[in-house]
Amino acid sequence: SGQATLDFAATGCRVVAIDQAQNALDLLAGRCANFPQVELVNSTFEDFECPASSFDLIICAQAFHWLEPEGASAKLRQLLRPSGRVAAFWHMQDISPNSPQADLYQLNSKYIDAYPQMNPPEYSAEFLQAMVDVLSKDEQLGDVSVSEYPWVQSYQKDMFLALYRSWSRYATLSESMKRAVDGDLANYLDSLSNDPEIHYRTC
């Protein structure tokens, strides 16, 4: 839906936004109507066609892990200018015992088979290291550095429920299971003395 795209477009950059989901691009088209320098392309990254050495920066916001590693590396090298850079980033949850995150993973485990009760793989240090390893394998891409930026988001109840329902694993549940999860989640949120705060790191 282009959340990262909009932030970069607001700086005045010329942006080419690629997505294989046309409905996501349709949503973004309305959101970036004030940024005529944004071009939207319906394509996978691997199949994207553009002249070589076209870009100073390629960003991949919470999506690099979906790419085929070898094909992605070759495409990055093809598209980047000699001084170009790649920025892949993710928002990861910091999970500690007796926190809303830990409570929510306990709740999830009631409804989703084999769902880890703490630190799912995509939020773990091992996941981040795996992404570094993928990028580091291609020596022509140069050195890989990692930066981490902690932040906290407070969610009002309705906002948190909407966020939770946008989760892809929630979408796979049956309607009866969704109602059960919604009830448990609403009861949990009602039991809190304050709005839940989720601790993140942008890596």
Side-chain angles (χ1 to χ4, degrees):
S1 60
Q3 293 185 71
T5 301
L6 293 170
D7 285 340
F8 280 86
T11 70
C13 295
R14 182 179 72 87
V15 178
V16 179
I18 306 168
D19 203 298
Q20 61 184 337
Q22 184 60 51
N23 59 339
L25 293 174
D26 292 342
L27 175 62
L28 179 56
R31 299 179 70 197
C32 64
N34 294 327
F35 301 115
Q37 79 276 25
V38 176
E39 177 185 353
L40 307 182
V41 178
N42 183 208
S43 173
T44 64
F45 179 68
E46 292 86 352
D47 292 335
F48 174 62
E49 296 292 337
C50 194
S53 302
S54 294
F55 296 96
D56 297 304
L57 174 66
I58 296 177
I59 66 168
C60 204
Q62 306 221 123
F64 184 78
H65 55 286
W66 294 111
L67 303 181
E68 190 280 312
E70 291 187 7
S73 293
K75 182 64 72 169
L76 290 171
R77 281 189 273 106
Q78 173 194 337
L79 294 175
L80 282 173
R81 292 185 174 132
S83 59
R85 296 288 185 268
V86 178
F89 51 92
W90 295 265
H91 299 314
M92 300 183 177
Q93 290 187 26
D94 283 332
I95 304 170
S96 58
N98 303 315
S99 67
Q101 291 100 313
D103 294 337
L104 291 168
Y105 288 125
Q106 294 279 358
L107 184 153
N108 287 334
S109 67
K110 291 173 55 179
Y111 298 98
I112 299 175
D113 291 341
Y115 192 87
Q117 299 200 4
M118 296 290 284
N119 266 336
E122 64 267 33
Y123 292 139
S124 68
E126 290 82 3
F127 168 81
L128 191 60
Q129 185 58 52
M131 297 300 98
V132 170
D133 291 345
V134 168
L135 285 165
S136 298
K137 282 182 180 178
D138 192 326
E139 295 182 356
Q140 294 184 61
L141 290 177
D143 295 332
V144 179
S145 62
V146 178
S147 299
E148 301 190 10
Y149 305 90
W151 53 285
V152 178
Q153 176 70 54
S154 177
Y155 293 95
Q156 295 179 347
K157 178 180 175 180
D158 289 346
M159 180 182 176
F160 190 88
L161 285 168
L163 176 69
Y164 189 91
R165 290 168 182 152
S166 73
W167 182 42
S168 58
R169 294 294 292 273
Y170 177 89
T172 67
L173 299 174
S174 66
E175 290 304 314
S176 61
M177 199 76 79
K178 288 178 182 176
R179 287 193 293 272
V181 175
D182 288 348
D184 277 1
L185 185 57
N187 290 336
Y188 169 71
L189 294 171
D190 286 339
S191 73
L192 299 177
S193 56
N194 298 299
D195 290 335
E197 288 190 342
I198 305 298
H199 289 250
Y200 294 94
R201 286 173 297 129
T202 296
C203 303

